[in-house]
Amino acid sequence: MLTTLPWRIQTDIPAITLGVPAGTDLLAVPRPAPPLANPTSAIAQALLAPRGTLPLARVVAAASPEKAPVDKTATIVVSDITRPDVPYTGPASILRPVLRTLEAQGL
């Protein structure tokens, strides 16, 4: 049986409590960060030189080394589209740098 622990999330709506598996690493943002002046550029730079991990391109290259790049897949999860302040589409899309990195790796 899976052991879960309660975790309370503060949102714009009333707080919700979720059961998460014991031992799950949870990331909480302590306070809102100021908006980025150029989100696309900042994300592209973070993908090239992230803190505490390998660049996305190296992670993709190392994943399933027995597979050809064309046979690999990736899943991208984003918060819902109802958040108007997050640019998912258009020239400032925060997804473009991620998609370009994956495409450069042959995905």
Side-chain angles (χ1 to χ4, degrees):
M1 178 176 192
L2 183 64
T3 303
T4 63
L5 301 171
W7 189 53
R8 189 172 173 86
I9 300 173
Q10 289 297 120
T11 63
D12 294 340
I13 57 175
I16 2 176
T17 301
L18 303 171
V20 295
T24 300
D25 290 328
L26 300 173
L27 173 66
V29 179
R31 59 185 167 10
L36 297 169
N38 186 338
T40 304
S41 176
I43 291 168
Q45 182 58 38
L47 293 172
L48 289 172
R51 296 178 187 162
T53 189
L54 296 172
L56 179 59
R58 287 188 55 196
V59 171
V60 171
S64 302
E66 73 284 359
K67 290 184 178 181
V70 69
D71 293 328
K72 294 182 182 184
T73 60
T75 301
I76 301 170
V77 179
V78 296
S79 61
D80 67 80
I81 198 70
T82 62
R83 300 186 185 277
D85 55 341
V86 180
Y88 294 115
T89 61
S93 170
I94 63 171
L95 296 175
R96 286 179 189 251
V98 175
L99 295 173
R100 285 186 185 127
T101 302
L102 295 174
E103 186 177 47
Q105 292 300 309
L107 272 70

